[in-house]
Every structure is written in structure tokens, then in C-alpha cells.
Amino acid sequence: MSESIIRPSQRSLLGHDILLISVMAVLAGCGLIYEYLLSHYAGRVLGSVESAIYAMIGTMIVAMGIGAFLARWFKDAFTAFAWLESIIALVGMGCILAIASMIAISYSLPHMFSAIFNLPPDIVLNGYVFEKLQSAARFLPYVFGLLLGMLIGMEIPLIARIRQHVYGRFLENNAGTIYGADYIGAGIGAAIWVSVMLSMPIMQAAAWTALFNIVAGLVFLWRYHQHVRFARLLVFCHVLLLVLFAVLLLFGSHWMKDLSNVLYKDKVIYSQATKYQHIVLTERLRRNQPEPITDLYLNGRLQFSSVDEQIYHTMLVYPAMLASNRHERVLIIGGGDGLALRDVLKWPVEHVTLVDLDGQLLSLFGYQNERYSAPDSITERLSSLNNQALVDARVTVKVADAFLEVEQLLADEDYFDTIIVDLPDPNHPDLNKMYSDYFYNHLRQLLSADGAMVVQSTSPYHAKKAFVSIAKTIKAAGFDFVEQYQQNVPSFGQWGWTIATRKGASASNRIARVSQLPVPSRWASRDYLLAAFIFPNRFFEFHETIEVNQLGTGTLYDYYRQAWQTENELYKN
């Protein structure tokens, strides 16, 4: 049946309006959550979080405009809208799983072909065809973003036409009413995303969002079924969608974990999405290693490997502790794995304050927190790596945003002999502020006059400009002496750190005065540490052209992102 004109009573018009405007608000909220879901997942898959999110939002906005134009092709607005909701629910519910499946397949094919042709285990095919398949699979989030955007863009024109037919006349404020419901619904959707769904497994978030689409579609069918062609078929489709919703709610997260695990070369033993990041632990066995080698990945990036993390943490902790005149009070920013803390506790410290944002990560490594729990076998394994450092009586753990917590420490007039900043690389805009002149100035005020501060500073080989910018930013924050040093960590390659002192002498001069290490180390000696301060002759020749990372500029994030994009292009070529 086509769009016949309905002339209900004035009383029933209010009921129609409440239903149509409520449906529009619900769908607007669902549409915004789908946008966030795809943006969030695209950031994880594509690596460059900020650019992926902005590109996805831009893609979906343009697609919504295209969808609004395409809506005029449908003569029967009732039938088109009813089918539209079922299609949006199907695509929105299944797109994340489809993307993960395609990426997993594209990365598995080289190994499958290697096995088929019985190639040696250390040889994996990685030719042009496989690279293109992987690139195409990683581009899929934008394809689904374009499709979903077009479908969502059709909703407003169709429901506006339906409302006008309900009234049986032209409505002057029709567009304003529908857009008002759309904006309010989108705002509610944003609040739900931030407060509830951001901490959910992504498949559960997609399934629950699709459920609202399904329910809205069923309510619409119940009220206007006499104006919808193939209404019974649509009801059957919605029942199937409810079954699919139940299946994905029960098994979707497990399937996503299995598909994501394909991307890791070693066996995944733990995978969990927290409110702030996706945590993955892997293990592998080696004949010359009595214990399994454990690797930690955050958002797909390796954070440490148990086979050589001692090198990294020795280079992080020992120079700063040696350069500090006293060791009573130590502040660690980040370092939620407790490994830097483990090495700090080897020194004669009285109190250590550790500030980390992610309580779930801390609980994995042995921190006792009633809000979060982790499998006992995982916690035992990881807490043995850090020697149960997070439950040491000398340690205070603060689950907080360090950017804000540092201001509170200043207000409380806390001061520290050594400050260790063990944050992830500045690979996300949210982390950029933790590498800013503003933040380092606050840390300078917390540091004792005869103390030292050290900052993990990414790779001087792969991200040279970012590495140098960190030192210039610390210098701009008011430290008198700022130096950088480097060491090879097999899991990462060449890695770098920045060390600063407020007054007196530089860190390297202070270390040079030491005849032997007061706390023995398996890896380090005085000469070993001093040698790390030596760089190639022309390494800093472009120092003057590098900018300071001022708060709000994103300078360091841009340096870092550009460096790794160039690196990836070089590998491809």
C-alpha cells in the first residue's frame, strides 16, 4: 500500500507525535553511538587514534548528507523507514565482527599458505597480494562508516514525511521538531556512550545499541503496520534480529577475542578492554627459558616482554636514583605494571607514591582493589614479575589521572627526591599533555633541589624529532640540566630516556662521581650507564629546529605520528 493520507483526530495526533518524536530521539542516540563505536574501533585497528576518529566522524557526516538526498528515491516512506531500521540494526550489530573477521583472515592467509606449502616455520609469506589484502581489510571501518552513515541519513527525511502524512498537510515546523528530537537523542546517546558503553566490550555495546533499533522498528510496525508493505515479513526479520542480538550478546565478545588474538604471534592468555585501553597478555615457550615469556600489549602496542624488560627498567630507574642525593621519597608516574617500582624498592626508600589511571591494569599486577578483579593465575604470574611490589608497605598507589593528581600533590606540598615518569609513548592526544611543558613544570616544583627526574622518551632511532622535543620541553619547564641517553632493548630496538636535575650538576656528572653502584644490578655498572649518554657526532645537529611541546599544541604527538607513518612507509617499500 502506498502512502495514503491519514486524518486522525486532534487527540490522536498527540499520540502520533509522541511516538514518532520518541522513535527519532532513540534512533539519533543509536546513530551517534554507532559513530563512536566505529571511530573507537577504527582508532584501535588503524593505530593513529586521533586521525582515525576524525576521519570516521567526517566520513559518516558526509554519508549522512548523501543518505538524506537518497531518501527522496523512496516513494513509500512508511515501508522504507520500517525496512531501514532493520537494516541499520543488522549492519550496526555485525559491522565490528565483520571487520575483525576480515582483518583476522587477511593476517592469517600468509601463515596458512606457509603451512600448505610446508615452508620452514621461520618463513612467512608476505608478498604484494597479502599486503594489499591487509590494507583493504584495515580500510573496512570506513566502508561500514560510509554505509551506516547513508542509512542513518535517510531517517530524518523519511520520518519527517511520515509525520506530515499523519497530519495530512504541510507542517511549517516539521523539520525543526524532527531535528530537535534528533539533537536531544544524540546528546543522550553521547552520555550513554561515555558513562556506560565506553567500558563495555565493544561487541556488547554494538548489540545493545542495535536492540534499541530493533525495538524502535517493532514499535513503528505495531503502530503503522497497515501502511507498510510486507509487514509480516518485516516482523519475521525483526524476530531474527532479536535472535542474532541474543547470540552476539552471549558469544560476540568471545568471538572478538579469538579474532583479535590472530593478530598476535604468540598465544594470547588474557584479553580485556578496560575503560581506558585494551589489555592483551601473550606467552611463548623457549628451550633456554625456564619460565614462559610473557608480553604485555596495550591497544596492540608492546609495552614489555619479560625476556628483556629488566634492561629497560634498569635504564629507567638506576640513572635517576644514582643522580639523586637522597632516596627517601620517590614518585612514579604511570608504571602500572609495577616493574619500575620493583627496581626502586631495591634502594633504601622510605615511601613511594605511584600514580596510574587504569585500576584494572593495576589489579592484574597485584594491586588489591575491590572494584576490579583478575584471574588468580594471571595475577600470580604478573605479580611474581614485579616481586609483589604493588602491595609493599612502603608504597601508596593512587588510581588517578596523573595530570590532575600532580596538582593535588603540589597543593598538599609533597616533595620527592626522585621522580620517574614511565608513561606509554605519546601516541594519543590524551597522552600529549603528559609530555607538555606545563606538566613538567609541575613535576619540577615537586622535585627536591638535589633530586633527579627521568622520563621514558620513545625511540631516538625511529622517532628522533619526538625524542629531542621531549628534552627541549623539559628544559623549557625550568630544569637547569637536561640530558638524554639510550640503550638497545631487543624487544623494542634502540630506546631513549631523558634525565633532568634542578640545580648543582648534571645527572651524568653525578653518576661519574660514583665509584660503584650502591645497589647491585644484573645489567648496569657505572661505566655502562655513562656510555649510554654518548650519541653519534651529528645526532643533535637539527636541535634548533625542534619545537617545545606546549600544552594544547599537540606538537609532540605530531612528531611521533609522522615518524611512525614514515617508518611504516619505508618498511612497505
Side-chain angles (χ1 to χ4, degrees), residues 140-175:
L140 270 180
Y142 296 121
V143 175
F144 278 101
L146 186 68
L147 176 60
L148 260 178
M150 287 192 295
L151 295 172
I152 292 168
M154 295 180 191
E155 290 176 330
I156 290 178
L158 290 175
I159 207 164
R161 283 164 54 188
I162 290 169
R163 185 168 178 263
Q164 200 153 270
H165 276 271
V166 166
Y167 274 81
R169 58 185 172 85
F170 175 76
L171 299 175
E172 291 183 0
N173 297 318
N174 192 26

Side-chain angles (χ1 to χ4, degrees), residues 268-305:
V268 175
I269 58 173
Y270 182 81
S271 177
Q272 180 65 49
T274 74
K275 186 176 181 180
Y276 306 102
Q277 56 203 345
H278 185 229
I279 302 171
V280 171
L281 288 164
T282 68
E283 74 168 12
R284 66 183 181 276
L285 302 175
R286 274 191 181 177
R287 293 179 182 177
N288 60 344
Q289 293 286 338
E291 298 292 334
I293 297 171
T294 305
D295 293 351
L296 170 68
Y297 294 84
L298 298 181
N299 294 334
R301 294 180 175 89
L302 180 65
Q303 299 302 304
F304 76 76
S305 177

